[in-house]
Amino acid sequence: MSRTRTALLAAMALVAGATGTAIAAVPGDTGAAAVPCTVDYKVQNDWGSGFTASVTITNNSAAKSSWSLKWSYAGNQKVTSGWNAKVSQSGASVTAANESYNGTLATGGSTSFGFQGTYSGSNAVPATFTLDGVTCNVDSGGPTDPPDPTDPPAGNRVNNPYTGAKVYVNPEWSEKAAAEAGGSRIANQPTGVWLDRTAAINGVNGGMSLRDHLDEALRQKGSGELVIQLVIYNLPGRDCAALASNGELGPTEIDKYKTQYIDPIKAILGDSKYASLRIVTTVEIDSLPNLVTNVTPRATATPNCDVMKANGNYVKGVGYALNKLGDVPNVYNYVDAGHHGWLGWDDNFGPSADMFKQAATAEGATVADVHGFIANTANYSALKEDNFSISDNVAGKSVRESKWVDWNRYTDELSYAQALRNQLVSIGFDSGIGMLIDTSRNGWGGANRPTGPGATTSVDTYVDGGRYDRRINPGNWCNQAGAGLGERPQASPAAGIDAYVWMKPPGESDGSSKAIDNDEGKGFDRMCDPTYTGNPRNNNNMSGALPDAPISGHWFSAQFQELMKNAYPPLS
């Protein structure tokens, strides 16, 4: 990933034209404290008539309770919008002043903001910046810079961010859980914070913004270590095979994804205020696997997935997110890897790993930007099937020949995640990558949980009688009846597994049981309709969905109660 080279002494920056880089003249190597402030101005995206830029200020003088940064453009650049600063412009002169939440700037402290602008002709980087009237020097760097051997290290990332750390409890989810009868038993469990639309960055309908969550994470952290889990989930043409979770961006709106969604998130996560947090991202669930299983010539192909495969915007979006977020030294990127009931077949497993590699090396990303992968996100596949194994033979047939397993190579998420990890390492991912498994809804406890193998009358009675996963078909994914809370979040539970997590907050719907008008861009998928008789993706079985569900992400009390009732391990 590209690093920033710091010019330690510069009175002026040499303008680098439209390359988006401010290059400082360095006559000597003196200490950083010799200059009152440094400014890192980067043009991150430039499409010929417009651009986005990020700016990082480092204060080397006395601590400040407010700040104002000024510069002038040599061309006709116009700032159209900004984030994390109040940005105004008069003629060629631009002023960026702090927001109420980021006015404090300690000695040696840094803060970042970003903006979007338009221009024609050239887009030269400003030559001079002043912070509260004092001229700063300029750090150089940009998205096209080659690696520099003198660059600082990427940060002090630990091998497993969950080791020795608390995990963030989302107060908004916790309050909803605690308000349910019996919900206080799990209301203190850590869950993922879903950034499922651009508005979520600043908070929706008076809810917590990303900064609010990060500030609360610092409070919960205290003097120890803390992980906060974020779900990055807003690709253009999102969820091409599942209408319930369609998003706000159309299939071609990759530039909006980059400049209005990923760039602002990166700017916030890169704020030095949050440098002590371990920030885990789950990157774009249910996206890349669709490009393997739900495209022509597969029987499960959908026109929307064919479009996303053809335009490449899933690959570009994931690569861009990994590249940009991976530049933040305390961010740990985990890429979504589907689940065994989706990708466990021979013709899906290897091609999916290859697709993950393609995305991890797109848009400037490298495999070093990937800390690991996450399986079973927001799904229901059992963690470990104890009553049968893939190598068993019953009545002259392999378990793989059963209707439930259907020639899959894997029977559960643990075996799938461990095998996928090995496959990913074999094609070039770092040998230290770890896996996460979402266990929020895969417990399958309660009265229907088998206590031993099924009858050996046939391979089907053997598997069906012994399997914990009680779904009608492993392709069923929406608000599944009979599901329960799974293993509680924990670090390092098995070889190659960084953690069991509750990335999907229990009680939040997968999708509505019928069409419901909404302003969130979310459609209606028949797989969420309990009367639906299925499609090729679930072998034309009933959907197994609960009735009366709200749109995806909204609180579903009946499901929450069922998850608690069927929890395994049981709730006390």
Side-chain angles (χ1 to χ4, degrees), residues 176-187 485 560-561 564 571-572:
K176 293 175 183 175
E180 294 278 347
S184 60
R185 293 173 294 175
I186 63 165
L485 302 168
F560 185 79
Q561 289 294 332
M564 290 195 296
L571 297 177
S572 57

Side-chain angles (χ1 to χ4, degrees), residues 214-264:
L214 294 168
D215 289 341
E216 171 63 14
L218 288 175
R219 189 194 68 78
Q220 291 184 20
K221 175 183 181 297
S223 60
E225 299 292 344
L226 183 135
V227 169
I228 180 170
Q229 304 171 128
L230 306 177
V231 179
I232 306 301
Y233 186 47
N234 198 30
L235 276 178
R238 189 176 75 190
D239 282 7
C240 58
L243 300 176
S245 45
N246 289 165
E248 63 184 354
L249 300 178
T252 63
E253 294 186 296
I254 186 67
D255 287 336
K256 282 188 177 180
Y257 176 79
K258 292 177 177 181
T259 62
Q260 298 181 22
Y261 180 70
I262 293 298
D263 289 353

Side-chain angles (χ1 to χ4, degrees), residues 389-429:
S389 72
I390 203 69
S391 60
D392 290 347
N393 286 274
V394 176
K397 290 190 174 183
S398 162
V399 157
R400 292 191 70 201
E401 297 180 70
S402 68
K403 291 179 181 177
W404 173 257
V405 177
D406 193 26
W407 295 102
N408 201 312
R409 284 283 179 191
Y410 307 97
T411 60
D412 51 42
E413 286 308 292
L414 182 57
S415 62
Y416 166 74
Q418 290 172 325
L420 181 61
R421 180 187 178 280
N422 292 338
Q423 176 71 16
L424 292 162
V425 170
S426 74
I427 63 172
F429 284 93

